[in-house]
């Protein structure tokens, strides 16, 4: 899967999400900014994303997945501390 395919897959269930993806072979780094994560702990946030991509993981098409998941407010705070 390429970056655009992963973005489309995530946005199929989170259409308002700002999604960025980096692919290295079958390893994926996914950054999602969405207020759908508001009030959810990190495990619940990851479960929301895995619900979108789990079929691709089971098939072996996606192997290692790293996620960085933020609400819009959290992302604004994160950007302040980024170098």
């Amino acid at each position: 899967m390429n970056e655009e395919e992963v973005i489309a897959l995530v946005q199929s269930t989170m259409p308002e999400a700002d999604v960025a993806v980096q692919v290295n072979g079958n390893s994926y780094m996914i950054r999602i900014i969405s207020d759908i994560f508001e009030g959810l702990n990190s495990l619940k946030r990851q479960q929301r994303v895995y619900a979108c991509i789990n079929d691709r993981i089971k098939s072996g098409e996606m192997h290692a997945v790293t996620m960085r998941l933020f609400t819009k407010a959290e992302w604004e705070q994160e950007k302040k501390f980024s170098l």
Side-chain angles (χ1 to χ4, degrees):
M1 291 188 78
N2 64 34
E3 288 91 348
E4 293 81 19
E5 291 171 320
V6 176
I7 291 168
L9 194 57
V10 171
Q11 288 182 331
S12 69
T13 59
M14 297 182 217
E16 80 298 338
D18 176 358
V19 183
V21 178
Q22 290 180 338
V23 179
N24 184 9
N26 65 350
S27 296
Y28 297 81
M29 167 74 106
I30 303 172
R31 191 263 301 137
I32 303 173
I33 303 165
S34 175
D35 284 338
I36 197 168
F37 299 132
E38 190 70 46
L40 299 179
N41 65 31
S42 61
L43 177 62
K44 293 289 185 189
R45 292 177 184 202
Q46 290 176 10
Q47 288 172 337
R48 296 293 289 260
V49 178
Y50 279 122
C52 305
I53 63 173
N54 202 38
D55 287 342
R56 304 300 172 103
I57 292 171
K58 285 181 182 178
S59 75
E61 191 171 359
M62 295 177 83
H63 179 65
V65 178
T66 302
M67 295 181 219
R68 299 198 65 217
L69 310 173
F70 304 93
T71 64
K72 291 175 185 174
E74 290 167 345
W75 180 245
E76 288 303 315
Q77 284 297 110
E78 179 77 13
K79 288 191 314 187
K80 289 179 184 178
F81 294 107
S82 296
L83 299 175

